[in-house]
C-alpha cells in the first residue's frame, strides 16, 4: 500500500490534479491504521496462550510440544507464533501461522528431537496477533524460561514394555529362540496335555493320580544382570545425531525394564578412567527409577577407557556369577588384543557379552559403484574394516565370550534378543 501511494505521488508530480486525491488516500490509510491499533490494544488480554511440554523429553525420539491459544477478541484474528526453542536445536526459522475465530480455543503443535541428555530451556512463546485489517500486529509473550530435562529414551521403554510378557516376540522384530534343554527351577506338577515333553513325566505322581502327570519348570529367577557402559573415547562416534554412548544408554534403560519384568535383578555401571555411576543389581520396586536417574546423570569427557580398572572393580564388587553386558566398540583387532586379557579374566567368573557396533558409513562406500582408482582403494579399505569386525566377533567366541555386532539403530532389539536367548538356553 505504501509503494502504491509513492507511485501515486510520482504521478501527481506529472498530473497535479491527483495531488489532493493522494493525500486523501493517505488520510484513509492512517485512519484505518489507527483503528486497527485501537481494536488490537483496547482489550488488555486479547489472547491466552500456553506451551504444553512433556514432563521430560525423550532423547533421540520425536517429542510433541503443544501450543494452546484462546482468542478473547470478538473478531477473527490471524496469528504468527514464534517459539524460542532451546539453543541445542539451533532452530532459527521457527514460524507457525494460523487463524482463530472469535472466542475460539485452538491447539496445535510441533515436534522436537533432542540428541543430548541434560536441561533444555525454552525462551518466550511469542505470538503476533493481527485483526482482519492486517495493518498492524500486537505481540504477546508467554512462558519465559521454562526448563524441561531430557532423559534417556523412555519412549522406547514404553514401546518394548510388553516384551517382558508377550510370547509373540517376533511381532516386535525379536527372533524366536529354540530352547535347549530345561532350566532346573521347579514350578509345579500338572496333568499331561498333548505337546508336553514326555521326559518330564513324574511317575510317582502319575501312580497316585492314576493319570499322566508331568513336572513343569520355569526360567530361573533372581539372576543378576549388569549393563556395563564404556563411556570412553571409542563411544564418541556419532550416528544420526546421537553418540554411540547415548545409544548404549537408551538400550540399557529398555533392557533393564525387560530384566526386571523377567524377575531378574538389574544393575548398571559406567567406566572410562574409573568405574562410576553404579547401581547394584536388585529387583525392588524403585530400581527402575534409580536406573533412570543414574543414566540421566552419566557425563564423560571421552577419555581412554581403563579395562584393567574395570576388571579389578568387577572382581572386587560382583561376587555372585552374573551376566555382564558390556557396551563398547572395537574398530580393529589391535584394539581388541590390548583389552582381551581383561575380558578373558572377567569371563572366567561371569557370563560376558560384548556389544559393539558396525560402522554403517562403511556400507555406503562398499555398495557404491567405483569409477576411479581412489574409489577402489577406499572400497577395499572399507571391506577390510568390515571383515575385521567379524574377526573380532570370532576372536571373542574362541574364549567363550559372547558378542553382539549390531548397527546403532538395531542396538536395543539385538540386546534384548541376546538376553532372551541366554535365558532360554539357561546358560547363566
Amino acid at each position: 500500500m505504501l509503494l502504491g501511494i509513492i507511485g501515486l505521488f510520482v504521478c501527481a508530480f506529472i498530473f497535479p490534479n491527483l495531488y489532493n486525491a493522494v493525500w486523501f488516500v493517505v488520510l484513509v490509510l492512517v485512519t484505518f491504521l489507527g483503528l486497527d491499533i485501537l481494536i488490537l490494544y483496547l482489550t488488555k488480554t486479547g489472547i491466552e496462550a500456553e506451551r504444553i511440554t512433556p514432563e521430560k523429553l525423550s532423547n533421540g525420539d520425536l517429542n510433541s510440544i503443544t501450543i494452546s491459544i484462546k482468542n478473547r477478541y470478538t473478531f477473527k484474528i490471524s496469528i504468527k507464533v514464534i517459539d524460542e526453542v532451546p539453543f541445542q536445536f539451533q532452530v532459527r526459522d521457527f514460524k507457525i501461522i494460523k487463524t482463530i475465530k472469535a472466542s475460539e480455543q485452538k491447539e496445535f503443535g510441533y515436534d522436537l528431537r533432542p540428541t543430548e541428555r541434560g536441561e533444555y530451556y525454552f525462551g518466550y512463546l511469542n505470538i503476533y496477533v493481527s485483526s482482519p485489517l492486517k495493518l498492524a500486529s500486537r505481540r504477546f509473550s508467554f512462558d519465559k524460561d521454562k526448563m524441561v530435562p531430557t532423559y534417556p529414551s523412555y519412549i522406547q521403554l514404553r514401546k518394548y514394555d510388553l516384551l517382558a510378557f508377550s510370547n509373540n516376540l517376533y511381532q516386535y522384530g525379536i527372533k524366536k529362540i529354540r530352547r535347549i534343554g530345561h532350566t532346573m527351577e521347579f514350578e509345579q506338577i500338572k496333568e499331561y496335555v498333548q505337546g508336553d515333553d514326555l521326559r518330564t513325566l513324574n511317575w510317582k505322581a502319575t501312580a497316585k493320580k492314576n493319570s499322566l502327570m508331568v513336572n513343569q519348570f520355569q526360567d530361573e529367577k533372581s539372576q543378576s544382570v549388569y549393563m556395563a557402559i564404556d563411556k570412553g573415547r571409542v563411544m564418541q562416534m556419532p550416528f544420526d545425531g546421537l553418540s554411540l554412548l547415548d545409544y548404549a544408554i537408551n538400550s540399557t534403560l529398555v533392557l533393564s525394564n525387560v530384566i526386571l519384568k523377567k524377575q531378574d535383578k538389574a544393575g548398571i555401571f559406567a567406566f572410562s578412567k574409573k568405574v562410576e555411576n553404579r547401581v547394584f543389581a536388585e529387583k525392588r520396586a524403585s530400581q527402575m527409577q534409580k536406573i533412570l536417574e543414574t543414566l540421566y546423570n552419566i557425563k564423560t569427557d571421552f577419555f581412554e577407557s581403563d579395562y584393567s580398572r574395570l576388571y579389578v572393580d568387577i572382581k572386587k564388587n560382583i561376587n555372585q556369577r552374573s551376566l555382564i553386558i558390556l557396551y563398547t566398540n572395537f574398530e580393529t583387532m589391535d584394539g581388541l588384543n590390548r583389552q582381551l586379557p581383561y575380558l578373558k579374566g572377567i569371563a572366567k567368573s561371569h557370563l560376558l557379552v560384548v556389544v559393539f557396533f558396525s560402522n554403517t558409513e562403511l556400507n555406503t562406500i562398499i555398495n557404491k559403484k567405483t569409477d576411479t582408482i581412489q574409489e577402489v582403494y577406499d572400497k577395499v579399505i572399507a571391506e577390510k574394516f568390515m571383515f575385521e569386525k567379524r574377526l573380532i566377533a570370532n576372536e571373542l567366541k574362541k574364549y567363550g565370550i559372547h558378542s553382539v555386532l549390531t548397527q546403532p539403530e538395531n542396538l536395543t532389539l539385538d540386546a534384548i534378543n541376546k538376553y532372551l536367548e541366554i535365558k532360554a538356553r539357561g546358560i547363566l
Side-chain angles (χ1 to χ4, degrees), residues 269-301:
F269 56 88
F271 72 99
S272 59
K273 292 198 300 184
K274 59 182 180 179
V275 179
E276 50 195 353
N277 305 111
R278 189 193 313 276
V279 176
F280 285 102
E282 295 175 344
K283 60 174 182 178
R284 60 180 62 180
S286 62
Q287 187 74 351
M288 201 60 218
Q289 183 62 31
K290 188 186 294 186
I291 289 174
L292 177 62
E293 293 295 335
T294 303
L295 292 174
Y296 170 72
N297 289 305
I298 287 181
K299 294 179 176 62
T300 181
D301 292 324

Side-chain angles (χ1 to χ4, degrees), residues 109-120:
Y110 61 93
D111 294 327
L112 293 176
R113 181 179 180 267
T115 56
E116 298 176 8
R117 286 165 291 113
E119 297 179 344
Y120 285 63

Side-chain angles (χ1 to χ4, degrees), residues 195-235:
D196 284 338
D197 193 341
L198 293 174
R199 293 173 296 177
T200 61
L201 281 171
N202 187 319
W203 295 108
K204 288 184 178 180
T206 298
K208 289 180 181 178
K209 284 280 190 179
N210 199 26
S211 63
L212 291 175
M213 305 293 290
V214 294
N215 293 331
Q216 186 172 356
F217 299 91
Q218 63 180 352
D219 288 338
E220 294 182 23
K221 298 178 180 178
S222 298
Q223 296 176 312
S224 296
V225 183
Y226 282 92
M227 278 69 69
I229 302 172
D230 182 352
K231 56 180 186 178
R233 177 178 56 81
V234 296
M235 299 294 280

Side-chain angles (χ1 to χ4, degrees), residues 158-204:
R158 294 170 183 168
K159 178 180 176 182
Y160 298 119
D161 199 21
L162 291 176
L163 289 177
F165 304 103
S166 174
N167 291 322
N168 300 318
L169 300 176
Y170 62 88
Q171 61 186 315
Y172 290 92
I174 305 296
K175 62 185 179 184
K176 287 185 173 180
I177 304 299
R178 182 173 64 89
R179 288 184 176 273
I180 301 175
H182 295 279
T183 52
M184 298 309 296
E185 189 163 329
F186 177 79
E187 184 178 15
Q188 64 177 350
I189 300 174
K190 69 178 189 72
E191 288 190 11
Y192 172 82
V193 295
Q194 188 172 358
D196 284 338
D197 193 341
L198 293 174
R199 293 173 296 177
T200 61
L201 281 171
N202 187 319
W203 295 108
K204 288 184 178 180

